Amino acid sequence: MDVGVYSDTGAESEVEVLQAKYPATIVSFDSAYFYYDMTDYIPETYTLVTGNHAKPIKDDRIRQFYVPENVLDVGKTIIEYEDAKIRIYDKERLLIETARMKNRLPSDQYKEIVAYYRAHVDEIEGGKISEYLELFPHRDRILSIIDTEVF
């Protein structure tokens, strides 16, 4: 366990412990790609997203990204991964984040994730993407990237 985190069973995964310790975080990017089996790359740190007014997380196990508060919870869901319950963005929101951060992601990783989405395009709900994008600045640019590179 971590300081300030207590458990009845002690069987929680590290990501569950971190999310209990930092309850306003959502798994995204490298970690989400791994949990959704979009990549074979096992991240060395947990990539967690917080609102842009959140305090910096000082934990070497965490790589923190900030998003505007009004879109923090958009697409947030809970998945089970090896008996762990993880707060994570759904695949549609993750696609939006991938397109938004296209120039900040390593190009080989970006290509691998786009290839995954192309291969699984029938699993992506376009209506969710449209609904989510209404809340984002630069939505036309994001949609153009998604349309051009995935659909």
Side-chain angles (χ1 to χ4, degrees):
M1 275 308 107
D2 262 23
V3 174
V5 179
Y6 304 94
S7 168
D8 292 335
T9 66
E12 287 74 17
S13 68
E14 187 172 39
V15 69
E16 285 179 299
V17 170
L18 290 172
Q19 287 197 312
K21 190 171 183 177
Y22 306 106
T25 62
I26 302 169
V27 170
S28 191
F29 298 112
D30 295 355
S31 299
Y33 301 145
F34 174 76
Y35 290 126
Y36 281 127
D37 203 24
M38 296 179 175
T39 181
D40 292 334
Y41 170 73
I42 301 171
E44 294 178 14
T45 58
Y46 295 95
T47 306
L48 302 179
V49 173
T50 61
N52 56 2
H53 297 300
K55 293 180 182 178
I57 297 173
K58 295 178 180 167
D59 189 317
D60 292 340
R61 299 170 293 178
I62 296 173
R63 189 166 149 224
Q64 183 178 11
F65 280 87
Y66 298 91
V67 297
E69 301 285 341
N70 68 314
V71 296
L72 177 63
D73 290 333
V74 173
K76 179 175 77 173
T77 190
I78 295 175
I79 65 166
E80 280 199 34
Y81 181 85
E82 295 180 357
D83 297 326
K85 292 189 186 324
I86 301 170
R87 273 188 321 278
I88 192 169
Y89 284 131
D90 62 22
K91 290 182 181 180
E92 290 79 9
R93 171 62 188 270
L94 191 56
L95 177 56
I96 289 170
E97 289 301 319
T98 301
R100 265 181 16 101
M101 303 299 276
K102 174 183 179 178
N103 295 328
R104 291 183 62 189
L105 296 172
S107 63
D108 56 331
Q109 180 187 39
Y110 179 79
K111 289 175 186 174
E112 180 182 23
I113 300 310
V114 167
Y116 171 88
Y117 275 108
R118 283 184 189 151
H120 296 88
V121 73
D122 56 321
E123 299 170 16
I124 304 305
E125 294 182 40
K128 279 187 180 181
I129 292 172
S130 297
E131 177 187 330
Y132 295 170
L133 279 174
E134 289 300 316
L135 303 168
F136 284 85
H138 312 293
R139 62 184 148 270
D140 292 337
R141 183 184 67 79
I142 297 168
L143 184 58
S144 175
I145 291 169
I146 293 170
D147 282 344
T148 302
E149 299 191 20
V150 176
F151 291 108

